Amino acid sequence: MIHSLLVCIMELLRDRCPTLNGMCRNLLWAAKAITGRRQPLSIPRGPSDFGVDRKTGFIPSRPLPKLRGAFKLWEDALQAKLGRHMAEDYRAGERLTSSQWPVLDAMDLVNHVAGSQRAHYVLAYLIHYYVHSMPCKQLKKGTSITIPPSLAAPMMVVARHLRMAPVLTYADTILWNMEQINEDGPMTLDNLRTETLFSGTEDESAFYMSQVQCELLGAELLGVIADVASMHCSQAKDATSIALLSGALDRLTDGLEELDQIIKGIRPTCDPSVFYWRIRPWFVGSSEDHPWIFQGEDACIDLLGPSGGQSSLMHAVDVFLDVDHELRFTRSPAASNANRRADTGFMKRMRRYMPGPHRDYLQYLEQTPIRVRELAEEVPMLKVPYDGAVAALKRLRDSHMRIAVLYVVSAARILPTGCPLAMMVKAMEAKGPSDAGHSIGTGGSEVATLLKAGRDATRRAMLKDN
Ligand code: HEM
């Protein structure tokens, strides 16, 4: 009885007094949990509980500190074999001697999130280096590649702890692969640089940094999304909230247009041929031709390479605008045959490569009471700003598709001469130039079909056709 009264008072306070909104919301959930009036999914939380920073978004608020003590062994290897010297090592045919290394107990790292993340990052780069610098003769089609226990065992421990795949991911290459130029300076683009490069080229750094730029800009978009997520349903249709939502959608549109400009700006700084032949081969994960085995561990399924499809930022925008990649809803214009043939589960699968808390954040956003698309269907004033944001996301996917076709499909047709890469180039040469529309991306997809399907799914979210 007292608890129910408490719930009523707090509902009243929350609706009447916006400044107490956050506090009341938390107390309400707790009170409802006690009274059983409504089963809460979890205590409501904010972005920071999921490792999302107000200023840097999914990028940590500071670069991950280097590992110390016994784990410095991995750091030193990364520094010596990879870093900016890796391309030369590769030419010299040097191999990581990790099979002679001790098997370190990574349980000592898991109490510290940044330590686990750093270990995942260092080990993932070392594992990809180990695999892709293997002498060609050992790599006949169908041969499996065994990752030695010194790399496999600690990687499995940290990957399980972080609830992400034990392989190089978007988090490793983009979110965690940076250092500050001036350590006392801010986490802004002009004070950051890439830490680890496979090819040692400026092109690779530019490829990573363009995505870092997207993620940093994305922090602002995540702020807009978080503000809407914290609104209460009963407020959603009052005049103030509609004006706020409309403003939020306009800000999202502007941000997506800026992301579009960043993607369009990649071309002068990253050469498509360098990307395709000298950078991308290092990203390849386990494949049917060369399945990876983590010595001493059960079989792993999540072992594809890094992909922009693993960017939690892009997923958050999709969730917010209710883009239906899986063709669950009947929307207009109807999905084409090519759309239906595409890998409609790709985006969902890519979530397994994200750090667990980032994936949880997406789930949290999916469960927030305000569904912007449904609201915009009901409230005429929201239709135009909602469609504007969807149109901006569609334009971004159009630009991205053009870039991906240029960098993957077209670049695959021109074989470079004298390229130093051993295993992957040989394997690619044996396969021959790709057919447009059938190039397989690092995420294992048919690139053009997949990206068109994503663009069309975005287009179908627009209300003016539905
Ligand atoms: C040279 C630059 C880029 C190239 C060559 C490129 C290439 C690709 C390719 C081939 C795919 C297909 C899936 C796969 O195989 O992994 C893909 C997917 C994706 N990429 Fe990129 N990408 C680039 C830049 C970016 C940037 C800057 C972002 C922004 C964060 C991004 C975000 C995405 C997303 C979200 C997907 C999933 C499909 C979709 O949402 O449409 N990419 N990219």
Side-chain angles (χ1 to χ4, degrees), residues 170 207 210-211 214-215 263 266 275 306-309 311 314 325 346-347 397 400 403-404 407-408 441-445 447 450-451 454:
Y170 181 87
F207 172 68
S210 64
Q211 290 168 85
C214 289
E215 294 291 332
I263 288 184
I266 287 176
F275 172 78
S307 161
S311 160
M314 299 307 290
H325 288 287
F346 175 79
M347 290 301 265
R397 285 207 155 103
H400 174 265
I403 286 288
Y407 280 69
V408 179
T442 49
S445 52
V447 172
L450 174 86
L451 298 180

Side-chain angles (χ1 to χ4, degrees), residues 216-247:
L216 288 175
L217 184 85
E220 204 187 314
L221 306 191
L222 291 172
V224 171
I225 292 174
D227 288 347
V228 175
S230 67
M231 284 172 77
H232 194 266
C233 249
S234 63
Q235 300 172 310
K237 287 186 200 161
D238 66 37
T240 321
S241 303
I242 288 170
L244 278 173
L245 270 169
S246 169

Side-chain angles (χ1 to χ4, degrees), residues 10 54 171 220 346 353:
M10 256 161 339
R54 275 261 158 200
E220 204 187 314
F346 175 79
Y353 293 80

Side-chain angles (χ1 to χ4, degrees), residues 27 48 89 123 146 185 191 214 221 264 322 343 371 393 420 437:
L27 289 173
S48 61
D89 277 355
L123 290 167
T146 302
N191 192 38
C214 289
L221 306 191
K264 282 181 179 151
D322 200 4
D343 181 356
R371 308 305 319 150
L393 182 59

Side-chain angles (χ1 to χ4, degrees), residues 350-366:
M350 288 298 110
R351 286 197 189 186
R352 299 202 299 240
Y353 293 80
M354 297 171 185
H358 295 179
R359 188 170 50 248
D360 293 345
Y361 187 55
L362 299 175
Q363 219 174 341
Y364 164 80
L365 289 178
E366 279 165 348

